[in-house]
Amino acid sequence: DIQMTQSPSSLSASVGDRVTITCRASQSISSYLNWYQQKPGKAPKLLIYAASSLQSGVPSRFSGSGSGTDFTLTISSLQPEDFATYYCQQSYSRITFGQGTRLEIK
Amino acid sequence: EVQLVESGGGLVQPGRSLRLSCAASGFTFDDYAMHWVRQAPGKGLEWVSGISWNSGSIGYADSVKGRFTISRDNAKNSLYLQMNSLRAEDTALYYCAKDMGGGQLLFTFDIWGQGTMVTVSS
């Protein structure tokens, strides 16, 4: 199975900060990479699909980039509602998720 | 409003069976593939199974293959997961999720339910 490794596993940041989360695949997955946001007690929410396409209704401060094995999720200016756990997920072969990145308030 | 509502979870003994249901509304159910994704307490996400719009394509995670069966009833706008030979490691919150890729399995989950909890314990 393709392993997805996110870094960092946790991150402390302040409102207004620019934040980048990285996801690395154990083999090339082209652009078959999605990003989800999950808040405590809630279902995950799709943010970015196909590595860089912004899901409808998601604020433009979220962006995704990358292809092959290395991908990033960037939040350009953190808002209070962005503090959550973020997961990457590959849809190339035998679906797997990253272990998650917990974004906390500094 | 697009909505997915799961039901059928509960406490079950190891080796027993349980059937989960997911009721869909607010979209044309038979236009889309559907999935089950689970999350063990305090852990990450794990895809469990997916089914195309007409049940022609079905997939399972290795961890549940041979024990779980996914199905759908388009006339009832419903998705199901029959879980047999349950193990302690199947304990999780089970989410129903809609595939954004139309009728086929694109494995991109754009709508999620709130989940139904399954606890396997003696």
Side-chain angles (χ1 to χ4, degrees), chain A residues 31 33 74:
Chain A
S31 295
L33 192 284
T74 299

Side-chain angles (χ1 to χ4, degrees), chain B residues 49-73:
Chain B
S49 182
I51 186 169
S52 64
W53 71 280
N54 63 352
S55 306
S57 294
I58 288 175
Y60 297 97
D62 285 346
S63 57
V64 307
K65 196 173 295 183
R67 300 187 299 122
F68 290 11
T69 302
I70 192 172
S71 63
R72 63 190 295 162
D73 185 336

